[in-house]
Amino acid sequence: MVDFQVDETVDITDVVCPITFVKAKVALEELDDGQVLLIHLNDGEPVQNVPRSIKEEGHQILKLTGNEDGTYDLVVRKAGG
Amino acid sequence: MAFTNEQLERYSRHIILQEVGAGGQKRLMDASVLIIGAGGLGAPAALYLAAAGVGRIGIADADAVDLSNLQRQVIHATADVGKPKVQSASESMLAINPEITVETHRMYVSASNILDLIAGYDFVIDGTDNFPAKFLINDACVLSGKAFSHAGIIRFQGQLMTYVPGEGPCYRCVFRDPPPPDAVPTCSQAGVIGAMGGVIGSLQAMEAVKYFIGQGELLTGALLTFNALTMEFRKVRLPRRADCQVCGAHPTILEPVDYALAACDLDGGG
Amino acid sequence: MKITVAGDVKEYADGITVADLIVSEDVETPAYVTVALNDEFVLTENHATTKLADGDNVEFLYFMGGGGCGVYK
């Protein structure tokens, strides 16, 4: 289990692909290297694509948990820290 | 300033690029560009810069839309014939992107007004069709320490270069003085393929975007030429002229100068 | 001797000048062309006296108007 403290949260359940990733990317850009972002996202396409795209950009996926309402929480550490 | 979801969607293809990202898009939204000439070059440049979200775009032109413009000036429509070009251009830009601010300058540029005109903008696009105007814009930008994009098109040919203060030659380094009136044809006399404005004007918009996002190499110290018949682009290195009248070590041009215009350009057409 | 003109390597007689090259290349508006020889501009008044040498690189830069009208009067 990785220890982390969430620095910022972004809700991308109000947009659809591919804007989901764009919104997450912008939120990550605003963080300092090494800071942790919690991304609240929907089931389906978002949860299939957003973690992969974030990984491709070099960031570290810390945790992905499913919520009871069908949404997910993705915790990411910004690359470079 | 945070992006709205609508802005994230509108600019997603920019933001997703490593070279632009949220930071680059914000720089574009904070930027201002003056486009001189709402014609064959200015039309695509204005449309792409508006679409890109450049926050404030000035457009200067004294003419009204003429039927002969529509073969290449894609910012104007048939229903705009007779309308001031700056108004028609402004409407098209705002139709694409209502988020930006468009400032219209319905005027002829001259030595007496150019410095004031360009002072309010970060970058200037020369979309004019005659040499007196091109030299005037060059001199005013050099004297004001302002970056600008020069371009020219005629027949199946186009060229462009970018001036950034302290980073290479200016237009006058290369061409020294305007040719005498009527010595060199302009496109109103010689014709031009409409899509040439699209190619070269879009490249001017590209240079402006790169200038603001600070990525890649600009056409400083180089003239890019395009021949549509052979489909050849050539990037010709340009030296600086140490004794350039306006950007050289001992400049003799200390304020903008008006030159005589060729008689056949007086009623426009480029 | 070989000279590169606008990117193409061509064979020319020894000792030709920039002015000769302008004629043999059939340059449009020869009085108003800017010539760059090995990355240096050659002043128009020096075209006739500037001799070319084997391996030289020559570029012709042309005035190009056109773009938009109604901006200058």
Side-chain angles (χ1 to χ4, degrees):
Chain A
M1 199 58 215
V2 197
D3 273 345
F4 59 83
Q5 194 177 357
V6 172
D7 295 294
E8 205 54 70
T9 301
V10 65
D11 180 3
I12 62 169
T13 60
D14 60 347
V15 287
V16 295
C17 286
I19 312 307
T20 43
F21 170 59
V22 175
K23 193 169 183 180
K25 183 182 153 80
V26 168
L28 274 166
E29 241 186 272
E30 315 232 303
L31 294 186
D32 295 328
D33 291 348
Q35 283 196 302
V36 174
L37 178 71
L38 185 149
I39 303 165
H40 190 58
L41 69 170
N42 279 324
D43 198 4
E45 258 193 295
V47 79
Q48 282 163 28
N49 296 331
V50 171
R52 192 184 57 220
S53 302
I54 282 174
K55 223 168 153 180
E56 278 168 11
E57 296 245 309
H59 307 294
Q60 187 190 356
I61 308 281
L62 299 177
K63 199 169 105 177
L64 178 67
T65 50
N67 303 318
E68 286 184 359
D69 60 359
T71 63
Y72 288 83
D73 285 331
L74 175 69
V75 183
V76 178
R77 188 187 297 281
K78 181 171 174 169
Chain B
M1 177 197 66
F3 290 103
T4 64
N5 285 348
E6 197 191 332
Q7 287 173 324
L8 289 175
E9 185 164 1
R10 179 182 286 275
Y11 303 119
S12 61
R13 299 304 191 277
H14 270 170
I15 293 169
I16 220 155
L17 290 169
Q18 203 75 49
E19 292 82 356
V20 183
Q25 186 59 44
K26 279 180 191 165
R27 280 196 287 280
L28 288 172
M29 291 158 78
D30 289 338
S32 61
V33 175
L34 174 69
I35 299 166
I36 305 181
L41 292 165
L47 292 174
Y48 276 113
L49 293 176
V54 169
R56 191 163 54 85
I57 301 176
I59 184 121
D61 201 308
D63 267 356
V65 179
D66 185 87
L67 190 57
S68 69
N69 301 149
L70 302 183
Q71 164 256 15
R72 66 205 172 283
Q73 300 177 14
V74 295
I75 202 164
H76 313 297
T78 304
D80 296 321
V81 169
K83 208 185 260 186
K85 279 189 170 180
V86 291
Q87 185 194 335
S88 164
S90 168
E91 288 166 4
S92 300
M93 284 190 270
L94 292 171
I96 290 176
N97 192 346
E99 284 197 344
I100 62 165
T101 300
V102 177
E103 294 168 348
T104 58
H105 305 279
R106 191 173 187 198
M107 59 194 274
Y108 291 104
V109 296
S110 69
S112 63
N113 62 27
I114 184 117
L115 291 177
D116 285 342
L117 181 65
I118 67 173
Y121 297 92
D122 302 325
F123 190 91
V124 175
I125 288 188
D126 170 8
T128 65
D129 71 342
N130 65 77
F131 301 110
K134 289 186 186 303
F135 279 86
L136 179 69
I137 292 167
N138 177 75
D139 294 351
C141 287
V142 171
L143 293 168
S144 308
K146 189 151 312 236
F148 81 102
S149 162
H150 151 81
I153 53 175
I154 190 167
R155 303 191 186 108
F156 288 85
Q157 308 265 350
Q159 65 173 213
L160 75 155
M161 64 176 278
T162 302
Y163 170 79
V164 175
E167 290 185 24
C170 75
Y171 182 67
R172 205 181 265 281
C173 285
V174 185
F175 293 108
R176 281 219 284 183
D177 290 300
D182 294 324
V184 175
T186 61
C187 72
S188 53
Q189 307 140 31
V192 66
I193 289 291
M196 185 56 72
V199 173
I200 304 295
S202 301
L203 287 173
Q204 290 188 282
M206 187 69 84
E207 286 288 89
V209 166
K210 279 161 51 201
Y211 177 77
F212 290 121
I213 65 173
Q215 293 288 332
E217 287 171 34
L218 295 170
L219 285 168
T220 49
L223 184 77
L224 186 69
T225 66
F226 174 55
N227 179 336
L229 292 175
T230 57
M231 287 309 258
E232 277 177 308
F233 279 97
R234 295 197 64 237
K235 189 171 162 183
V236 180
R237 261 188 318 198
L238 298 176
R240 230 179 129 170
R241 205 187 282 274
D243 62 351
C244 174
Q245 302 106 295
V246 68
C247 79
H250 305 287
T252 53
I253 295 170
L254 305 172
E255 54 187 48
V257 206
D258 282 323
Y259 291 96
L261 195 58
C264 50
D265 279 333
L266 278 173
D267 48 354
Chain C
M1 63 177 180
K2 286 186 166 47
I3 299 172
T4 306
V5 181
D8 295 327
V9 180
K10 298 182 180 179
E11 189 67 40
Y12 287 96
D14 284 355
I16 68 162
T17 64
V18 168
D20 297 332
L21 185 71
I22 286 173
V23 171
S24 73
E25 286 293 311
D26 201 16
V27 165
E28 200 182 345
T29 60
Y32 306 108
V33 70
T34 294
V35 178
L37 168 60
N38 304 327
D39 289 332
E40 291 289 338
F41 292 122
V42 182
L43 295 180
T44 309
E45 48 269 37
N46 296 338
H47 285 180
T49 52
T50 304
K51 289 207 159 150
L52 295 170
D54 188 52
D56 275 351
N57 183 46
V58 178
E59 295 284 356
F60 295 123
L61 307 165
Y62 299 95
F63 272 115
M64 225 174 268
C69 48
V71 290
Y72 194 83
K73 220 159 226 185

